[in-house]
Amino acid sequence: MNGHHSRTRSYLALTAVFAGVFVAADDQTVVVTVLPQIMLDLKLTVTELDHTSWIITGYLLGYVAAMPFIGRFSDIWGHRNTFIGSLLLFMLGSVGVALASDINWLIGLRVFQALGAGALVPIAIAIVGDLFPTDRRGTPLGLVGASAEAGGVIGPLWGGIIVKYLAWQWVFWLNIPLCVIIIILTLVLLPKNPRHTARMDYIGGALITISLAALTLGLARIDELDALMAVWLAVALIALALFILRQRTAQDPLFPRAMFRIRAFVAANVSHLLIGGALIIGMVTIPLMANTLLGETPLGGGLMLLRMTAAIPFGAVLGGIACQRIDYRAPAMLGLLLAALGFWLMSGWGLDIADPWLTVHLATAGFGFGLLIAPIALAATNSVGDDVRGAAAALITTMRVVGMTLGVAALTAWGTGRFDTLVAGIGAPFALPGETAQQAQARIAEVQQHLAEAGLTLFSDFFVVATVLCLLALLPTAFMAWRGIDGNDS
């Protein structure tokens, strides 16, 4: 009875954590539907459209750059303290964004806002380890993953509702009362966790932050292929090389060296990198295909993607429950096989794809991705000591975002070249001199048919690549067995 009471109290304590993760994830996607209002309000012209993408990219930049640094910081300063500190950073950023009257200020403040938001998921994973014994962490980790995914799914809808009745600034003003409630709940419900004595490696933290930020900035320019892109990528590589050197020489490195000698930890990180690449291919390709080939509106494309993303939280919860009963490689591998199957079925789509098969294929992939969340987090955090759980959770979360960043860059670079090859020699979709109206109409219809086929081939190729990435991830996932304290694999 005591154990049951203690478990109920632990879940109650996690409600504040789930809420914090949900709000931060919501803010990652909420701007998608409020961008037109922001552009109008800040008097941005069509020539400044490239700025608007930085409202999203800037958030991603802050989100990924802060994770490794704050993850390790939370082990030393305390997970609960760092969670509250991150929420305060997020609130300050939200106030700044709501008050911004200049696009550059707004982008800078989105980066600042994301520094707080990016820390919440890895700290939440670490807090689960503080509250639950090793064999009881699956379900709460699944719920953390479900909260993050649900926030991302609800974001665009929430933004749409806000701008229908209020100004876009209210998307950010409403974060303040929500975060105040979450902080009060955290202080009341969440017990303090022990701090671990270690020196914070600020130099290592700065180097990995610079490397991740420069990588994101460089890959964001992949379609330009200019000198600035080369500079950013060079900075990323140099900072990474210096970080690795620092890791080898520092007395208390940002990521303790022993972590990288643990097979399960390394395997989970490699697997998550590949999963991030596959996931972003789906999230970019599905709405793009809906808008360009299937004749859907942007809203229609979003609703099509929702069929996949809405299935992720359900998979996350079930994957977490499964991890408490069976070897967690089983739900992870099943998840990868389902995601691969979903993408393989999508690669066979024609222009006539419709429900119910459209929903079945998308939900299969989404559910598969959901099943993976808890097993990957468990493999990374259960295999390391309590004193580095925050750092381990931060690295595993960062690897997925890096995989997504690399995936988008590869998609953009390879996709452009592939499409040019597919449409070479097709001809122009307008009347040529000397053609009768009938000839022109017939030829234009033929050209449009060829263009549609080329687009279909390209999107099919994207889905095949995502399938291959999911299947490749099966190999590292097979090595995710955790050797417990008693020396037995579990």
Side-chain angles (χ1 to χ4, degrees):
M1 186 70 185
N2 246 354
H4 177 71
H5 179 66
S6 160
R7 199 151 61 241
T8 306
R9 280 195 61 168
S10 295
Y11 274 110
L12 191 63
L14 273 184
T15 52
V17 175
F18 297 151
V21 165
F22 179 89
V23 170
D26 172 274
D27 255 56
Q28 198 174 355
T29 56
V30 73
V31 291
V32 173
T33 41
V34 302
L35 269 180
Q37 279 74 15
I38 292 174
M39 285 183 69
L40 206 64
D41 203 29
L42 300 184
K43 298 180 174 59
L44 291 178
T45 62
V46 177
T47 55
E48 295 170 294
L49 267 176
D50 58 326
H51 280 78
T52 59
S53 66
W54 279 102
I55 298 172
I56 299 166
T57 308
Y59 197 80
L60 182 67
L61 183 67
Y63 204 76
V64 69
M67 273 185 202
F69 178 79
I70 298 183
R72 182 63 179 137
F73 186 77
S74 72
D75 289 327
I76 297 166
W77 200 49
H79 298 141
R80 187 181 82 157
N81 294 344
T82 314
F83 190 80
I84 292 168
S86 299
L87 280 168
L88 290 169
L89 266 185
F90 177 72
M91 284 168 70
L92 269 175
S94 296
V95 170
V97 173
L99 292 172
S101 56
D102 170 81
I103 185 65
N104 295 316
W105 270 105
L106 192 142
I107 292 165
L109 287 158
R110 278 286 283 172
V111 175
F112 183 81
Q113 187 195 23
L115 292 174
L120 294 177
V121 172
I123 298 171
I125 293 170
I127 288 171
V128 167
D130 298 334
L131 294 175
F132 292 86
T134 308
D135 60 341
R136 290 274 162 217
R137 291 174 188 166
T139 303
L141 279 176
L143 289 167
V144 168
S147 303
E149 299 299 338
V153 169
I154 297 292
L157 181 67
W158 176 240
I161 292 167
I162 294 290
V163 293
K164 185 169 175 157
Y165 299 105
L166 300 162
W168 65 266
Q169 287 90 343
W170 280 97
V171 163
F172 302 100
W173 283 126
L174 287 170
N175 286 339
I176 310 308
L178 287 172
C179 287
V180 168
I181 293 165
I182 293 164
I183 289 170
I184 292 167
L185 286 173
T186 305
L187 288 167
V188 172
L189 298 173
L190 204 63
K192 280 186 180 178
N193 73 293
R195 300 183 189 190
H196 299 284
T197 50
R199 275 199 216 126
M200 182 64 202
D201 181 16
Y202 291 103
I203 294 171
L207 287 169
I208 194 64
T209 298
I210 290 165
S211 180
L212 288 169
L215 177 72
T216 308
L217 290 166
L219 293 178
R221 302 186 65 83
I222 195 89
D223 51 343
E224 309 282 340
L225 293 174
D226 56 7
L228 188 57
M229 178 195 161
V231 168
W232 282 125
L233 293 181
V235 169
L237 284 171
I238 292 164
L240 181 62
L242 290 171
F243 172 71
I244 293 167
L245 191 67
R246 175 74 185 175
Q247 279 282 112
R248 291 184 170 190
T249 54
Q251 194 179 342
D252 273 318
L254 191 71
F255 298 115
R257 291 181 284 276
M259 287 164 70
F260 299 98
R261 292 195 284 272
I262 300 165
R263 191 176 62 182
F265 178 77
V266 174
N269 277 281
V270 173
S271 186
H272 225 196
L273 184 75
L274 294 166
I275 290 161
L279 178 62
I280 200 67
I281 288 173
M283 293 182 84
V284 170
T285 304
I286 292 159
L288 195 60
M289 183 177 180
N291 299 157
T292 54
L293 286 184
L294 304 180
E296 293 283 355
T297 60
L299 176 64
L303 290 172
M304 190 165 149
L305 179 62
L306 192 66
R307 290 163 161 89
M308 182 175 91
T309 54
I312 297 177
F314 295 102
V317 174
L318 285 174
I321 293 168
C323 286
Q324 292 185 185
R325 289 163 173 77
I326 54 175
D327 182 332
Y328 46 59
R329 285 174 295 183
M333 288 178 144
L334 177 62
L336 284 167
L337 289 170
L338 282 175
L341 174 64
F343 281 130
W344 179 250
L345 292 168
M346 289 178 219
S347 72
W349 281 356
L351 296 173
D352 56 347
I353 184 66
D355 280 325
W357 296 117
L358 180 76
T359 298
V360 169
H361 297 171
L362 288 163
T364 300
F367 187 76
F369 279 120
L371 281 177
L372 295 161
I373 291 171
I376 298 276
L378 277 170
T381 55
N382 274 5
S383 58
V384 300
D386 289 350
D387 58 331
V388 291
R389 200 185 302 117
L395 190 59
I396 194 73
T397 314
T398 302
M399 289 307 274
R400 185 172 97 152
V401 184
V402 170
M404 291 170 84
T405 309
L406 291 170
V408 169
L411 210 61
T412 308
W414 178 70
T416 307
R418 179 84 174 110
F419 190 69
D420 289 345
T421 308
L422 288 168
V423 299
I426 282 180
F430 45 79
L432 297 175
E435 280 186 328
T436 64
Q438 204 173 357
Q439 285 173 326
Q441 204 174 356
R443 195 180 55 75
I444 289 166
E446 193 182 334
V447 167
Q448 285 170 337
Q449 175 66 25
H450 284 313
L451 285 170
E453 284 169 7
L456 206 54
T457 304
L458 181 69
F459 290 130
S460 175
D461 288 350
F462 286 166
F463 290 133
V464 169
V465 171
T467 306
V468 170
L469 287 173
C470 291
L471 294 174
L472 281 175
L474 283 168
L475 185 62
T477 303
F479 292 96
M480 282 187 350
W482 172 61
R483 192 166 288 282
I485 307 301
D486 59 1
N488 298 319
D489 281 353
S490 66

